[in-house]
Amino acid sequence: MSQIQTPQAIRGTQDIFGADAEAFAFVVETFERVRKLYRFRRAEMPVFEKTAVFSRSLGETTDVVSKEMYSFEDRGGESLTLRPEFTAGLARAYLTNGWQQYAPVKVVTHGPLFRYERPQKGRYRQFHQLDAEVIGAAEPQADVELLVMADQLLKELGIADGVTLQLNTLGDAESREAWRTALIGYFRAVKGELSEDSQERLEKNPLRILDSKDPRDKVFVADAPKIDAFLGAEAQDFFGKVTAGLDAAGVTWTRAPALVRGLDYYRHTAFEFVTDRLGAQGTVLGGGRYDGLIETLGGPHTPAVGWAAGVERLAMLVGDLPHSWPEICIVAESREREIDALALTAEYRRAGFIAELFASGSPRKRFDKAQKSQPQVIISLDQRDGHKGNAFKCDRALYERFADAQSIFHGFVDR
Ligand code: ATP
Ligand code: MG
């Protein structure tokens, strides 16, 4: 017996396999298909960045920077951070690669992110996001296009029912500042009754209290001052154009006046797609406009808007997908025909058929095994047949596909 202890996976990471992995892949594939319909370009981004990329742009007081980042010194003594989100890295890339020349840049990416959080259902320390951004666009049309794309993604995933788009505006810098002052006044009066986190946030980042999940804060959030009382004419006009665009494109939304986003950089549009089907982790997609972000990284004023969606949460909503049965099973019913069966299988797969080979184990059991995997066609090779294959259960759709590729079929029986 071995005395070696198997190392365990890191807490908050997942090994995704089986039905969960199929749902995960379906989410990513659907995202890839939909982003092409909207002519968003792909980017592949580094998994780590200099820590300053995140600490400057997200803001030191945000949860992500103050307690969730995986930061470490590399062997050269430089402070690096595993990306906790995509936006900051994309903004950095926009500046360091001169992507200004393509502005507005419509870009998507996806992959793993890392946050030191308390793991639970729908919340992990390594998780995955789909991310879409329009960098260098000041017009509300960019917000609308991103939201319509998000809506279409959820519909094509088949999970739009029961997911609602909650929409808010945070106003421009001026309206946001006036709102902030009013929120500080309001929450100061009840400071002692707020959660410890919110007491700490009160002076520095009072908007974040609105985003709190703590029931002690929630009682006061309901009656907190609303942004609407502080919106200037320009900010109102911007929001009006976003909602008119959504209505024109047939996207349903609801106004959520207390919705703020966790990060400091948001202006104007803020939104979340929320469901009650995932318990406490009900936000599947969130984003907004971040006109101030690129400046925090030392770039010129660059309006931008984007969103990110949690792949694991979307995949949980997708649930089990229909099993993918093979179209064709090729069975070698004798050892002599194994190599022929292998060659034939390769040929069918090259021609675009989903094919499975049964040429191992006891030759007498192979046909039964093939039948159990419920293919539309079984082609059986045995000694007596010589070169002939037999086909069973060939349905009409497949039969028509066979007609296109008849040259590769050495004759089959239609039952
Ligand atoms: P939450 O309020 O749930 O913590 P957030 O505001 O921190 O979310 P964002 O930074 O906006 O989330 O990320 C966008 C999306 O990524 C979320 O809506 C969610 O679907 C997903 N997400 C965020 N953090 C995690 C995590 N730790 N595990 C799994 N998915 C996550
Ligand atoms: Mg969070």
Side-chain angles (χ1 to χ4, degrees), residues 147-201:
L147 280 164
V148 179
M149 180 164 81
D151 182 73
Q152 183 165 354
L153 172 68
L154 298 180
K155 285 183 176 140
E156 301 220 358
L157 290 172
I159 59 174
D161 274 357
V163 180
T164 52
L165 165 55
Q166 309 206 331
L167 186 65
N168 196 17
T169 175
L170 307 177
D172 45 30
E174 245 166 68
S175 7
R176 193 179 146 129
E177 197 44 45
W179 185 33
R180 199 185 113 95
T181 309
L183 286 171
I184 294 181
Y186 171 82
F187 284 119
R188 225 183 241 158
V190 294
K191 184 170 176 182
E193 296 169 67
L194 299 175
S195 70
E196 295 74 30
D197 275 353
S198 288
Q199 294 193 18
E200 218 172 282
R201 288 169 187 143

Side-chain angles (χ1 to χ4, degrees), residues 12 18 61 86 132 149 180 189 210 218 231 257 272 331 370-371 400:
T61 63
F86 280 116
M149 180 164 81
R180 199 185 113 95
L210 301 178
K218 279 187 171 173
L231 279 185
E272 287 181 346
V331 186
Q371 253 178 341
E400 276 157 14

Side-chain angles (χ1 to χ4, degrees), residues 42-46 48-50 53-54 57 86-102 105 107 109 133 135 290 293-294 297 299 302:
R42 260 300 287 250
E44 295 300 331
M45 302 302 299
F48 52 4
E49 296 273 355
K50 293 186 179 172
V53 168
F54 304 111
S57 58
F86 280 116
T87 310
L90 283 165
R92 191 273 306 147
Y94 180 87
L95 294 171
T96 55
N97 297 316
W99 287 354
Q100 285 105 318
Q101 59 180 310
Y102 310 117
V105 180
V107 62
T109 190
E133 316 277 350
I135 308 178
Y290 53 93
L293 170 67
I294 303 253
L297 293 175
T302 308

Side-chain angles (χ1 to χ4, degrees), residues 3 33 43 81 109 128 153 166 193 212 223 237-238 241 245 247 261 307 330 335 386 391 402:
Q3 294 301 308
R33 189 162 49 72
T81 295
T109 190
H128 299 76
L153 172 68
Q166 309 206 331
E193 296 169 67
S212 168
D223 294 325
D237 179 57
F238 192 98
K241 285 184 170 135
D247 293 341
R261 301 279 306 138
W307 55 250
I330 294 104
R335 297 202 194 283
F402 280 169

Side-chain angles (χ1 to χ4, degrees), residues 3-24:
Q3 294 301 308
I4 301 171
Q5 266 216 330
T6 307
Q8 298 300 299
I10 296 171
R11 194 165 124 80
T13 65
Q14 291 196 104
D15 307 309
I16 307 170
F17 182 67
D20 294 343
E22 294 301 333
F24 189 107

Side-chain angles (χ1 to χ4, degrees), residues 64 68 84-85 115 117 122-125 127-129 211 213 261-263 266 272 281 283-287 308-313:
V64 171
E68 295 176 1
E85 57 126 46
R115 294 184 192 176
E117 300 204 67
R123 189 176 294 286
Y124 313 99
R125 289 184 173 172
F127 64 102
H128 299 76
Q129 278 185 351
D211 199 28
K213 286 159 190 111
R261 301 279 306 138
L263 310 177
Y266 287 106
E272 287 181 346
Q281 270 58 252
T283 305
V284 292
L285 185 153
V311 178
E312 288 85 352
R313 293 187 197 176

